[in-house]
Amino acid sequence: MEKEQDRGVGRYICRCAWQSLKQKLFQSVLLGCFAALVAFLVFAGTLLGSSMESGIGRMKERLGADLMIVPHGQQGKTEKLLLTGNPEFSYLDRDLEQVAANTKGVKKTTSQFYFSSVSADCCSTRVQLIAFDPGTDFAVLPWINQEEMKKTKKGQVLIGADVIAQGDHTIRFYGEKHPVAGKLSRTATGLDQSVFMTRDTMNKILEDAKKKGFHFLSPKDKGKVSAVLIKAEEGANLDKIETSLLKKATAKGDKIDIVSTQKVIGTVSAQYEFFRKGIRFLQILFILTSSLVLFLIFSFSYRERKKEFAVLRIVGVTTGRIRVMTCTQGGMISLIGGLIGLLTGALVLFPFRVLISDSLQVPMITPAAVTIAFVALMALVLTVLLGVAAADIAIRTLGRAETYFTLREGEA
Amino acid sequence: MLIRAKNLVKNYEREGVSHRVVDQVNFTMDSGEFVIVKGSSGSGKTTLLNLLTGILKPSGGSVFFEGDDLKKMDDGKLSEIRNHRISYIPQNDTLLSNLNLWDNLRLPFFLGKGGDLKEGELNERLKVLLEEFGLSDRKCSYPRELSGGEIRRALIIRSLSLSPDLIIADEPTGSLDPLTTLTVMEKFRRIAKEGIAVLAVSHQPETFPFGDRLYEMKEGRLLPAKVFTNKK
């Protein structure tokens, strides 16, 4: 072994393998493409699935409320708000909060007011603005650093993970700058594209909006809220609470819808499950297809190179070493293809993360760097192993031909 | 005794009929001998050479190299013998198209066992041989850039690179001009004198006198044709 190392056998084998790949450029590119496809699907598919799983997990933790009372006709829009953060606003009477609080099975209630900034010069960006009541809130406050909250003064806001503040740590709404007191951690929901504030700040911004000609509330709507959030008691029947609330609101003359966050999560989870199964199916399908294609291309390539292997046998190269040479070649091309596949996966997945999440309507949280590195490594190892195995099986199948007859093929 | 064929038989199946291509060949060679085999096409010369190198397995009989039966050797041992003990120059071009001449010549050293040679010694030896065979300026050429004659010379250089005990050559001067044919045969004569056995198949009568013994292959049988007085 030591002697072989001195002779640089490994280096020579690698050079031979590289030369063969260069000589059969079309075949090499084809092999590389299939290897890249395997790596891409394993890497991107696994990360996408993992991101969605984390996203749904965080969404479950973060939604806080079990039920939300929203104005009639706003159910779908509210669900959309939770998932994508698209600004929508309409209002209902605040006394519904008290009605809900007096309903059996309800543990806590709080109200929120939604409005939005606009895509105009007066505002930094168009985002959903959410005003909450610090006195009763149980949906936003648990996710805000209490120290940050204490520091938050009137006029200051807290921004979602995807909202970008200006260089001077402010954000401008309707011509007025608001200092950013803190940034919330990622939720993978529409809340990441929202800005949070107390009711005092909300009233200030509404006044500023009015000055700029944006009327969110008519005089008769003063004191209204966008949603009443309900936290049910442990083990309470949500359907019963929903029915009871609908009855009470109807008796009161209010038209409402009730959003069950569990149902929203259930829909999202079902979408994720469908997507996960689809990805898994595609991964298995493409791994099997690519393995077969790699094997066929290697077989074809080795059939063309039969004479080369016969020559190696004549000069005293063992069948084992010929296998090492062909496997090195298989490993090399699948490594190159695998790296290209990983790079493509990263280029597709990371910059378009939000777009993918929005179009699939499933929240996504990008895994930690160490997880990404681990998935990339696993995808690369799998791709290289597939390449090596395909090359090995192909050369073993061919190895049965006798050197003598191979050499005499094509002789006059 | 370096190599010995004992009752060597090879049959091929063609269209369901068995043909005997090598028929009860008994033959021995010692170190330093230069033996030439002549014979018409299809007489079984190439098959005999392939049996002697262990590339083909005999249908009957055995080939012994330094007393060991090739049939009983495993792939590793047989490959080792073919790598630096018995050097075979096949009839056709057996240079690898993806490697240049220099890498082709170093192929047996790197991919086989390589004998006791060091890389530096090999390189020196190859340089001398390239000079001797007029291929010094073709070191970096690929086989497609070489003429038929240059390829034959390159194959001879490759066979000599690891100082084998026996060189088996199938038509080594087949595509060479008369002058190079003479050079090659003189070279074989010289290396035989240095103690390496040479067994060559040739059609060209002008090459026969370079050998110590001349055999004729006729319908699978190896018949002594002439003994020359070249030795020593």
Side-chain angles (χ1 to χ4, degrees):
Chain A
M1 182 62 89
E2 201 175 303
K3 194 179 137 208
E4 293 206 342
Q5 278 170 0
D6 289 347
R7 282 162 50 204
V9 173
R11 207 174 58 234
Y12 193 81
I13 286 178
C14 287
R15 201 163 79 226
C16 287
W18 181 245
Q19 292 285 359
S20 294
L21 289 174
K22 266 186 7 186
Q23 205 183 34
K24 304 269 176 191
L25 201 60
F26 178 71
Q27 273 175 15
S28 304
V29 169
L30 205 61
L31 285 166
C33 284
F34 275 93
L37 189 67
V38 171
F40 173 83
L41 272 170
V42 173
F43 175 67
T46 308
L47 273 191
L48 214 56
S50 164
S51 304
M52 287 178 176
E53 207 170 319
S54 314
I56 291 170
R58 185 69 68 86
M59 185 185 176
K60 282 178 188 171
E61 288 171 13
R62 184 66 198 270
L63 285 178
D66 296 313
L67 296 169
M68 287 171 80
I69 303 175
V70 294
H72 183 63
Q74 294 296 309
Q75 187 171 9
K77 288 177 181 173
T78 309
E79 286 171 1
K80 203 175 170 191
L81 179 149
L82 290 171
L83 294 172
T84 65
N86 279 349
E88 297 288 348
F89 40 87
S90 56
Y91 310 103
L92 41 79
D93 283 337
R94 196 175 182 179
D95 57 7
L96 276 168
E97 189 181 342
Q98 199 51 49
V99 173
N102 295 331
T103 303
K104 196 181 168 193
V106 172
K107 188 179 173 187
K108 289 178 190 171
T109 58
T110 188
S111 59
Q112 287 185 342
F113 185 89
Y114 307 144
F115 63 120
S116 75
S117 55
V118 291
S119 306
D121 288 348
C122 63
C123 299
S124 300
T125 178
R126 184 171 191 252
V127 286
Q128 180 80 27
L129 303 176
I130 299 178
F132 61 94
D133 183 352
T136 56
D137 178 80
F138 55 84
V140 180
L141 282 178
W143 301 96
I144 298 175
N145 183 325
Q146 291 304 306
E147 290 308 308
E148 274 176 2
M149 190 59 212
K150 277 177 201 164
K151 284 187 283 177
T152 310
K153 295 172 186 150
K154 188 181 172 184
Q156 290 185 330
V157 294
L158 295 157
I159 57 175
D162 289 341
V163 179
I164 299 162
Q166 288 172 343
D168 57 353
H169 298 285
T170 63
I171 191 158
R172 195 155 48 91
F173 297 126
Y174 302 102
E176 293 297 322
K177 278 187 173 182
H178 296 269
V180 174
K183 193 166 194 166
L184 281 90
S185 59
R186 182 168 296 284
T187 65
T189 67
L191 302 178
D192 289 337
Q193 289 118 53
S194 303
V195 172
F196 301 85
M197 65 203 67
T198 60
R199 282 183 180 276
D200 292 340
T201 308
M202 173 195 85
N203 289 332
K204 169 79 176 68
I205 294 175
L206 284 175
E207 280 301 314
D208 296 336
K210 208 170 163 183
K211 284 179 202 162
K212 294 280 176 189
F214 296 98
H215 298 272
F216 288 98
L217 289 173
S218 59
K220 67 177 176 63
D221 287 335
K222 203 144 190 179
K224 288 198 169 184
V225 295
S226 302
V228 174
L229 279 64
I230 296 166
K231 181 87 183 162
E233 284 171 357
E234 193 74 36
N237 186 326
L238 293 179
D239 288 336
K240 276 188 182 169
I241 297 174
E242 201 175 323
T243 313
S244 171
L245 281 170
L246 283 168
K247 266 186 197 169
K248 286 180 182 178
T250 309
K252 207 174 141 299
D254 287 327
K255 285 187 173 177
I256 60 162
D257 277 342
I258 295 180
V259 176
S260 164
T261 54
Q262 291 307 313
K263 280 179 193 165
V264 174
I265 289 167
T267 310
V268 171
S269 295
Q271 271 169 295
Y272 160 70
E273 197 55 30
F274 176 76
F275 181 80
R276 193 186 62 83
K277 281 181 183 162
I279 283 279
R280 190 58 49 86
F281 173 75
L282 278 178
Q283 279 177 333
I284 293 170
L285 181 76
F286 274 91
I287 287 171
L288 290 177
T289 313
S290 297
S291 304
L292 184 70
V293 172
L294 287 175
F295 166 72
L296 289 175
I297 300 172
F298 276 124
S299 295
F300 177 71
S301 158
Y302 293 163
R303 212 161 290 278
E304 277 189 335
R305 291 171 59 195
K306 262 198 309 189
K307 197 171 165 183
E308 179 186 330
F309 299 133
V311 170
L312 294 175
R313 297 289 289 142
I314 282 171
V315 299
V317 182
T318 59
T319 47
R321 184 148 284 172
I322 291 176
R323 272 178 61 200
V324 170
M325 285 179 72
T326 50
C327 288
T328 304
Q329 201 181 331
M332 258 184 189
I333 191 66
S334 47
L335 179 70
I336 295 168
L339 287 171
I340 293 170
L342 291 184
L343 188 69
T344 315
L347 287 176
V348 168
L349 211 58
F350 300 125
F352 300 106
R353 178 177 50 83
V354 176
L355 189 73
I356 296 169
S357 175
D358 282 357
S359 46
L360 294 173
Q361 295 275 292
V362 178
M364 279 169 54
I365 288 184
T366 309
V370 65
T371 312
I372 296 171
F374 179 74
V375 173
L377 187 68
M378 287 298 105
L380 196 61
V381 168
L382 178 75
T383 309
V384 171
L385 283 179
L386 273 182
V388 171
D392 194 37
I393 296 168
I395 194 69
R396 276 167 182 261
T397 313
L398 189 76
R400 294 182 193 120
E402 265 200 82
T403 308
Y404 171 73
F405 295 108
T406 307
L407 272 180
R408 298 215 78 176
E409 271 175 23
E411 265 183 32
Chain B
M1 195 179 303
L2 186 67
I3 194 162
R4 178 182 169 213
K6 189 182 167 193
N7 303 326
L8 205 55
V9 172
K10 184 66 187 178
N11 300 321
Y12 289 137
E13 195 104 340
R14 269 185 225 140
E15 292 161 0
V17 183
S18 181
H19 293 268
R20 181 156 290 190
V21 186
V22 172
D23 189 9
Q24 295 291 336
V25 167
N26 286 290
F27 164 79
T28 60
M29 262 185 94
D30 283 318
S31 297
E33 269 194 297
F34 186 2
V35 174
I36 296 178
V37 178
K38 65 172 185 171
S40 56
S41 282
S43 59
K45 301 183 301 292
T46 301
T47 304
L48 175 67
L49 298 192
N50 278 282
L51 287 167
L52 293 175
T53 52
I55 288 170
L56 267 181
K57 290 208 185 314
S59 310
S62 291
V63 175
F64 297 91
F65 183 75
E66 290 184 332
D68 296 325
D69 191 346
L70 296 188
K71 240 178 4 189
K72 292 178 180 161
M73 288 179 191
D74 61 17
D75 182 50
K77 181 74 187 157
L78 205 54
S79 297
E80 195 177 331
I81 285 179
R82 273 205 298 267
N83 180 243
H84 60 274
R85 306 293 307 278
I86 302 176
S87 219
Y88 182 41
I89 307 170
Q91 200 174 353
N92 38 19
D93 163 21
T94 53
L95 292 179
L96 296 189
S97 59
N98 55 328
L99 298 179
N100 63 25
L101 179 59
W102 182 247
D103 281 336
N104 259 295
L105 297 178
R106 288 161 19 119
L107 191 75
F109 174 80
F110 279 105
L111 294 183
K113 291 280 177 188
D116 297 324
L117 215 61
K118 297 265 186 298
E119 190 182 350
E121 292 168 355
L122 171 83
N123 292 346
E124 280 311 308
R125 179 179 295 177
L126 286 176
K127 278 177 195 164
V128 171
L129 287 167
L130 281 166
E131 187 68 44
E132 204 172 324
F133 283 88
L135 291 175
S136 289
D137 56 340
R138 310 295 270 149
K139 245 173 81 170
C140 299
S141 302
Y142 282 83
R144 61 180 175 277
E145 297 160 348
L146 300 174
S147 68
E150 285 173 328
I151 287 173
R152 294 307 298 168
R153 281 182 275 159
L155 291 174
I156 294 167
I157 296 174
R158 190 178 70 188
S159 76
L160 292 169
S161 65
L162 297 181
S163 303
D165 298 297
L166 167 65
I167 293 174
I168 295 180
D170 197 354
E171 304 271 6
T173 55
S175 51
L176 300 180
D177 59 77
L179 190 66
T180 318
T181 299
L182 211 68
T183 313
V184 168
M185 294 314 280
E186 274 170 358
K187 176 71 186 167
F188 279 149
R189 179 71 257 158
R190 208 160 59 241
I191 59 175
K193 273 186 182 160
E194 285 165 12
I196 297 172
V198 180
L199 170 63
V201 160
S202 178
H203 279 303
Q204 297 154 285
E206 68 270 25
T207 62
F208 299 159
F210 284 92
D212 299 315
R213 285 184 280 156
L214 177 69
Y215 283 85
E216 183 171 10
M217 197 82 188
K218 228 173 189 176
E219 292 170 349
R221 289 185 163 271
L222 189 68
L223 309 166
K226 198 168 182 178
V227 177
F228 298 96
T229 50
N230 284 318
K231 212 165 183 188
K232 312 289 176 206

